[in-house]
């Protein structure tokens, strides 16, 4: 064990259904604009040629069920409900067919977003980090191993704020499929166990405020929840 100047932060872990050990959180990749109706509500076209990505720091991880204080620097903090996948084997320059073998598990995730800062950055052609890499904004529910769910497609993906349905779609509306995303991302990164990918949000994103309770689900996967607390 190396001797550190200070105690390094713990590696966060996500519970996996049927396993006692946790899935350790490595990198967090996110796909932008992967449902046509969401791209439309954001006033942009979908690029059907290839997905595009942004990242969240692993330190932005928060496990489902927790409370996130309303973050600093925003007046328009948005929910985005997403299907996430967890990589379980190395994948570099893989085909979509090969990509399936690298997927260990799936889970519900929230890509919480400072929308005002993201849009300002988009306008000015600046990076999205302030809008997207928000502390506590990478929320994950417990994972379900890929072999334990039926083929992706008809499953409903939904999100409610205080019980009112805000996002409601099916996974067959994904423009870039899960194997296509993994194959494409593997052109740029040596994907490895611990890497998580959020696959994009359906239409219906919107603001939350302190006191709100977000719930969401995808058929066959563990539900997700997040409470928004008072700002610090
Ligand atoms: Mn998103």
């Amino acid at each position: 064990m190396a001797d550190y100047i200070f105690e390094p932060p713990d590696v966060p872990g996500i519970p996996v259904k049927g396993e006692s050990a946790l899935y350790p959180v490595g990198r967090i990749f996110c796909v932008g604009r992967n449902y046509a109706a969401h791209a439309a509500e954001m006033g942009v076209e979908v690029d059907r040629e290839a997905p595009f990505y942004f990242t969240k720091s692993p330190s932005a991880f928060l496990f489902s069920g927790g409370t996130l204080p309303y973050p600093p620097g925003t007046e328009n903090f948005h929910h985005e409900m997403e299907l996430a996948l967890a990589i379980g084997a190395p994948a570099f320059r893989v085909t979509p067919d090969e990509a399936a073998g690298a997927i260990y598990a799936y889970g519900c995730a929230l890509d919480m977003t400072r929308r005002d800062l993201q849009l300002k950055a988009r306008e000015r052609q600046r990076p999205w980090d302030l809008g997207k890499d928000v502390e506590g904004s990478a929320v994950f529910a417990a994972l379900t191993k890929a072999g334990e769910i039926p083929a992706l497609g008809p499953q409903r993906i939904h999100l409610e704020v205080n019980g009112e349905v805000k996002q409601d779609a099916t996974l067959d509306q994904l423009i870039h499929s899960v194997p296509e995303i993994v194959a494409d991302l593997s052109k740029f990164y040596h994907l490895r166990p611990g890497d998580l990918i959020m696959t994009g949000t359906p239409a219906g994103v919107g603001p939350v405020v302190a006191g709100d309770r977000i719930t969401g689900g995808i058929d066959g996967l563990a539900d997700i929840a997040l409470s928004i607390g008072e700002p610090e």
Side-chain angles (χ1 to χ4, degrees), residues 29-32 34 47-54 85 87 91-100 103 176-191 197:
F29 299 98
C30 306
V31 179
N34 204 16
D47 185 349
R48 287 178 188 272
E49 290 295 300
F52 76 92
Y53 310 96
F54 56 90
L85 63 97
I87 296 290
F92 182 57
R93 294 178 178 151
V94 294
T95 64
D97 279 348
E98 293 163 344
I103 299 168
H176 303 287
S177 72
V178 162
E180 285 167 355
I181 291 165
V182 173
D184 185 73
L185 196 55
S186 82
K187 295 173 186 169
F188 305 98
Y189 293 93
H190 294 77
L191 295 177
I197 306 174

Side-chain angles (χ1 to χ4, degrees), residues 74-119:
T74 182
E75 291 177 351
N76 197 17
F77 192 47
H78 272 210
H79 57 78
E80 294 193 359
M81 175 70 201
E82 312 209 359
L83 169 70
L85 63 97
I87 296 290
F92 182 57
R93 294 178 178 151
V94 294
T95 64
D97 279 348
E98 293 163 344
I103 299 168
Y104 172 70
Y106 293 100
C108 291
L110 297 171
D111 165 15
M112 300 301 295
T113 300
R114 285 190 276 230
R115 188 72 71 205
D116 41 1
L117 300 192
Q118 182 208 6
L119 294 181

Side-chain angles (χ1 to χ4, degrees), residues 6 14 24 30-31 33 37 42 52 56 61 99 112 115 119 143 198 200 223 227:
F6 58 87
I14 313 177
C30 306
V31 179
R33 294 170 206 159
M42 296 296 292
F52 76 92
K56 289 182 186 254
F61 171 83
M112 300 301 295
R115 188 72 71 205
L119 294 181
L143 301 172
M198 292 196 197
D223 290 341
S227 296

